[in-house]
Amino acid sequence: MAMASRSSRAAGARVLAFLTVSVLVSPTLSQTCPQLDGIVTTAVQTALRREIALAAGLLRIFFHDCLPNGCDASVYLKGSGSEQSMGPNRTLQPRALQLIEDIRAKVHAACGPTVSCADISTLATRAAVVFSGGPTYAVPRGVLDSLTPAPQNAVNGLPAPSTTSVSALARAFSDKGLRDLADLVALSGAHTVGRAACGFFSDRAANGDAFGNRLAANCTRNPNLRQNLDVVTPDLFDNGYYRALVASQGVFTSDMVLIRDASTAAIVRQFANSKDAFFTQFAKSMAKLATAPRPGGNVGEIRRSCFSRNARTAIETAVDVAGDEGFSASA
C-alpha cells in the first residue's frame, strides 16, 4: 500500500506538472495586451516627473533581479526567506518596487492577468532609461514570474560597491553570459543616475585621494547625505559617469577599479569621449542581461500580485487530492 501511495503521488505530481505547464507556460501571454507599452511608459514617465530618483531605483532592482537567477521577478516576492530580506536587497527602493506593482494593477485591469511582473519590470526599466535621456533597446516578452526566490548564495554573490578588482566584478557578470568586459563597463554606467548613502562608499571616502577626502568631509558634516553617483550630470542618463571616472571622481570603489585596471580603462575612456559609443554598448548589454538564462528555464506563473505567489487553483488542489487519495484507491 505504501508503494502504491508513493506511485499515486508521483502520478498526481506528473499530472499537476503537465497541467501547470500547459496553463502557465505560454510565450504569447505578454503579447495579448496591445496597450501594454503605453500603460507602462505613461506610468513611468508620470512617476519620474514627480521623483526622478525612481529611475535609479528601477535600474538597481532590475540588476538585482536578473544577476542572481535571470530576470524572473523573484526579487519582488516578499515574506520570510524572500530576496528582499537578504543583505544586498534590504536597501532596494520601496517606492520603485511599489511602482511595478501599481503598473501591474493597471495592466491587468486593462488586459486581464496576461502580462507578468517580470515583463513589466523589464519594460519599466527601459522606459526609465529612455525618459532619463538614455537609449532604447530590445527586451523579451512572455517571461514568467518565478515561483520561488533565488538562492541566498546567488543573491549574496551580487557585486558590492566595495569590490576592489575587475576580475571579481567580471565573474558576477560572466555567469549570466555577459563575458565581454565591455558589458561590465557599460552596465556599470547605470550609475550615471542615482544616489547612495554614506555607508555604501565609506571605504572609498577613506582612500586618501582628494575626492575621497571630499566625500569623507561631506559625510562628516551630514551623515544622512545622499551622494550623487555621477558628479557631472547626476539626473541625466549620459556619459558623465565615465568623465567623472577619468577625473578620479568615482564614488564607489567598484567604479574606480574600472579606470585603474588596464583591462577596462580604455573602454572607460572610450565611453567618456563618446556618448554614442556608450549608448550603443549599453543597449546591447541590457538586451543580453534581459535574456540572462534561468536555471530551470521559463517556468512559473503570471502573478496577480508582484509581491506574492498566486493562490492555488482549483485544478492544482484537485490533482493533489487525486494524487493522495483517488489514485491510490484505484491502485
Side-chain angles (χ1 to χ4, degrees), residues 71-162:
C71 306
D72 58 3
S74 58
V75 76
Y76 289 92
L77 291 169
K78 292 186 176 182
S80 176
S82 70
E83 291 177 46
Q84 291 186 37
S85 68
M86 300 176 191
N89 293 330
R90 289 174 187 158
T91 55
L92 293 178
Q93 193 181 103
R95 295 180 303 283
L97 292 164
Q98 185 61 49
L99 175 59
I100 299 302
E101 169 58 15
D102 292 345
I103 296 173
R104 180 214 57 78
K106 292 176 182 177
V107 170
H108 286 193
C111 303
T114 60
V115 183
S116 67
C117 298
D119 278 359
I120 291 169
S121 177
T122 299
L123 289 167
T125 301
R126 181 179 67 178
V129 168
V130 172
F131 182 82
S132 302
T136 190
Y137 48 89
V139 296
R141 305 288 181 99
V143 178
L144 293 167
D145 299 323
S146 71
L147 303 176
T148 59
Q152 185 159 0
N153 65 331
V155 175
N156 288 341
L158 286 165
S162 59

Side-chain angles (χ1 to χ4, degrees), residues 36-277:
L36 176 60
D37 284 336
I39 294 171
V40 172
T41 299
T42 298
V44 170
Q45 290 180 352
T46 299
L48 266 60
R49 285 190 186 100
R50 291 195 304 263
E51 184 182 2
I52 192 63
L54 286 168
L58 289 171
L59 274 161
R60 186 166 183 245
I61 290 166
F62 182 73
F63 286 136
H64 282 225
D65 184 39
C66 297
L67 285 173
N69 238 22
C71 306
D72 58 3
S74 58
V75 76
Y76 289 92
L77 291 169
K78 292 186 176 182
S80 176
S82 70
E83 291 177 46
Q84 291 186 37
S85 68
M86 300 176 191
N89 293 330
R90 289 174 187 158
T91 55
L92 293 178
Q93 193 181 103
R95 295 180 303 283
L97 292 164
Q98 185 61 49
L99 175 59
I100 299 302
E101 169 58 15
D102 292 345
I103 296 173
R104 180 214 57 78
K106 292 176 182 177
V107 170
H108 286 193
C111 303
T114 60
V115 183
S116 67
C117 298
D119 278 359
I120 291 169
S121 177
T122 299
L123 289 167
T125 301
R126 181 179 67 178
V129 168
V130 172
F131 182 82
S132 302
T136 190
Y137 48 89
V139 296
R141 305 288 181 99
V143 178
L144 293 167
D145 299 323
S146 71
L147 303 176
T148 59
Q152 185 159 0
N153 65 331
V155 175
N156 288 341
L158 286 165
S162 59
T163 303
T164 58
S165 72
V166 166
S167 59
L169 293 171
R171 279 194 298 273
F173 283 80
S174 64
D175 288 345
K176 293 304 169 189
L178 299 160
R179 296 181 178 87
D180 190 333
L181 287 177
D183 293 319
L184 165 61
V185 178
L187 292 177
S188 296
H191 288 166
T192 190
V193 292
R195 297 167 177 80
C198 290
F200 282 89
F201 55 89
S202 57
D203 61 314
R204 173 76 178 98
N207 185 265
D209 63 9
F211 186 70
N213 291 339
R214 197 167 89 199
L215 290 175
N218 290 342
C219 287
T220 298
R221 283 194 300 270
N222 179 11
N224 297 318
L225 173 74
R226 304 286 292 181
Q227 170 64 45
N228 292 323
L229 298 182
D230 175 353
V231 298
V232 179
T233 52
D235 292 328
L236 184 64
F237 198 102
D238 63 2
N239 63 335
Y241 162 81
Y242 298 103
R243 300 203 302 274
L245 293 190
V246 171
S248 297
Q249 294 182 341
V251 174
F252 292 153
T253 297
S254 59
D255 295 328
M256 286 305 301
V257 297
L258 298 177
I259 188 62
R260 290 173 174 166
D261 192 295
S263 66
T264 50
I267 306 171
V268 171
R269 291 193 177 93
Q270 179 192 20
F271 293 166
N273 291 328
S274 172
K275 184 175 75 171
D276 289 343

Side-chain angles (χ1 to χ4, degrees), residues 17-26 29 144 300 313 315:
F18 171 78
L19 289 171
T20 301
V21 170
S22 65
V23 170
L24 296 179
V25 180
S26 171
L29 284 175
L144 293 167
T313 67
I315 291 176

Side-chain angles (χ1 to χ4, degrees), residues 1-14 323 327-328 331:
M1 182 64 71
M3 183 179 296
S5 177
R6 285 195 298 272
S7 176
S8 65
R9 281 197 294 272
R14 286 193 296 272
F327 288 4
S328 62

